[in-house]
Amino acid sequence: MVPFGRKTPVQLTVEPSTVTAGEEIICRVDVGEIDAKVQGGQVELCYMNTYSQRPDSDGDSTATAAVMVQTVPLFAGPPEPGQRVFRLRLPKDAPPSVEDTVEWQVWATVDRRRGLDTWEDVPLVVQAAPGVLAHRMQTPTESSTEIPMTVELATRELRPGGILAGTVTANPAVEGVTRGLRVQLVSERHEQDGIVKRDVEAVATLTGEADLRPGVSIFSPFQIAGPADPAPCWEAEYNSQHWYLEVVADLPFMRDEVTRIELLVTQGRRVQDVNEPPRR
């Protein structure tokens, strides 16, 4: 934040401070005395997207980039002091605020020729618009090959602390032995350079050791409890958050057979506090 006492000062207020994607915000910019170096300015709606990447030459494996969503000129004609009011609309598919990952801001900048620009940043909390990621509940099941498994779910939406219930039917294509079948909830953060950060959040055992025979199905109902504070699904410019239900056949001396279904989580973990200092 730039002190108001400097030459060509600028003050910015944004209402409301919390907004749902697709809605409008009102930005009021008060510009102080104009000096001879002022040549223009702009108001920008953006988010700071922090993501993981392969380490560079300095060994830094994280980066933060400003993703510009909307830019409007601050001055319609010659720069003059006074208040200007702008209405900016967030895209309906805008990612929600995610602590340390997606941090929304509004910038008001006065450009000064051959001089230090003056600006002010105001943080903004953005909530996801309902239904934007509903298509994730229609993605195809990723099926195993040696032990095809069919999963029936009452819903593919997982709510904080909720119970996911369904049935699993395993239809072995080959003879063998499994140490057991289990279902598990998995969260995945998809980053740059093919990086996937994966966490198994909950596990429920379906069967113990069992013989596998072609034509003989294994049927099991299940219930699995979701975390009380899950990271919600989102899609930002440089990374995204996903959830899956996985059915795993534990095979001795072999790679496990896995069938997985994408889930949707729309509520959960705390977003950035609007009172936290913004980063630029």
Side-chain angles (χ1 to χ4, degrees), residues 53-160:
Q53 59 184 357
R54 299 297 177 193
D56 57 21
S57 58
D58 297 325
D60 190 0
S61 61
T62 61
T64 300
V67 180
M68 294 299 171
V69 174
Q70 188 175 0
T71 300
V72 295
L74 182 56
F75 303 106
E80 294 181 356
Q83 185 180 88
R84 289 154 178 82
V85 179
F86 302 89
R87 292 179 177 269
L88 305 180
R89 185 173 297 278
L90 281 90
K92 191 172 182 179
D93 61 352
S97 298
V98 180
E99 189 174 12
D100 298 326
T101 304
V102 177
E103 299 177 343
W104 283 89
Q105 300 173 16
V106 180
W107 300 346
T109 306
V110 172
D111 298 328
R112 302 177 71 243
R113 185 186 304 106
R114 296 180 181 177
L116 187 64
D117 291 346
T118 300
W119 70 83
E120 189 164 58
D121 307 280
V122 172
L124 184 67
V125 172
V126 175
Q127 300 172 338
V132 169
L133 296 180
H135 63 275
R136 290 194 179 180
M137 294 189 289
Q138 305 299 324
T139 55
T141 300
E142 300 175 28
S143 300
S144 60
T145 55
E146 300 295 327
I147 309 175
M149 290 176 279
T150 301
V151 183
E152 298 290 340
L153 290 173
T155 178
R156 287 173 64 173
E157 183 172 3
L158 178 63
R159 296 185 177 275

Side-chain angles (χ1 to χ4, degrees), residues 52 142 182-191 194-203 240-249 255-261 269:
S52 298
E142 300 175 28
R182 68 179 185 273
V183 292
Q184 56 192 30
L185 293 175
V186 176
S187 64
E188 288 186 357
R189 179 75 62 87
H190 294 185
E191 304 281 356
I195 298 172
V196 177
K197 296 181 177 180
R198 172 185 167 90
D199 290 300
V200 177
E201 305 284 355
V203 178
S240 58
Q241 177 71 41
H242 300 256
W243 281 84
Y244 298 92
L245 174 74
E246 294 184 343
V247 185
V248 182
R255 183 176 179 178
D256 291 345
E257 288 283 302
V258 180
T259 290
R260 70 181 199 161
I261 297 175
R269 195 160 299 165

